[in-house]
Amino acid sequence: MAESNRRGEDAAAEHVDDVFDDAVDDDASDDDESGVSGGGTATKSRKVTDGKGSRAVKSTEKAEKVGFFGRIGRFVREIVAELRKVIWPTRNELLTYTAVVLIFVSFMMAIVTLLDLAYAKGVLFVFGDAK
């Protein structure tokens, strides 16, 4: 029985190693094919040949300028698209989360209040009453 479990664990470990190796190979081949550098920039670059050799050109150089209102429109469309991805809580979940937060904040306020009173009593004990 113990041997069969070990075989299963070894098979699972080999499977994980294979998946990891495949993922590493995929990442390496993606970088070679696209011409994108490994890091440091957020813009993609591509190889452009001009007959004399190749040079990397940022894709933003080729894009045409978008006007002020076009940028605002794109911004609003992206906001709406992101809000559609949000998983909104149900009413019951919202009430539960609100109750948990209020209880936690009340508990922390009680702790801070008690510590404040204790330190105030300690300071008055050490330095005496100023009357």
Side-chain angles (χ1 to χ4, degrees), residues 101-121:
V101 168
L102 290 176
I103 291 169
F104 178 77
V105 168
S106 300
F107 180 72
M108 294 306 293
M109 283 176 49
I111 290 175
V112 169
T113 302
L114 291 174
L115 287 174
D116 183 46
L117 287 173
Y119 286 133
K121 294 285 185 185

Side-chain angles (χ1 to χ4, degrees), residues 35-103:
V36 177
S37 63
T41 63
T43 58
K44 294 182 179 180
S45 62
R46 59 180 171 209
K47 301 265 182 177
V48 175
T49 57
D50 56 358
K52 298 177 183 176
S54 64
R55 61 183 182 96
V57 176
K58 290 184 179 179
S59 61
T60 55
E61 289 178 312
K62 296 290 183 178
E64 66 182 63
K65 285 274 194 175
V66 179
F68 178 73
F69 293 108
R71 288 183 284 169
I72 290 176
R74 182 179 56 188
F75 180 69
V76 170
R77 283 191 306 272
E78 289 176 1
I79 288 174
V80 171
E82 288 298 321
L83 286 175
R84 286 185 180 151
K85 295 177 187 177
V86 173
I87 299 173
W88 297 99
T90 63
R91 182 175 177 83
N92 191 23
E93 290 174 337
L94 185 64
L95 292 174
T96 303
Y97 297 154
T98 303
V100 167
V101 168
L102 290 176
I103 291 169

Side-chain angles (χ1 to χ4, degrees), residues 124 127-131:
L124 287 176
F127 295 110
D129 242 348
K131 286 186 182 181

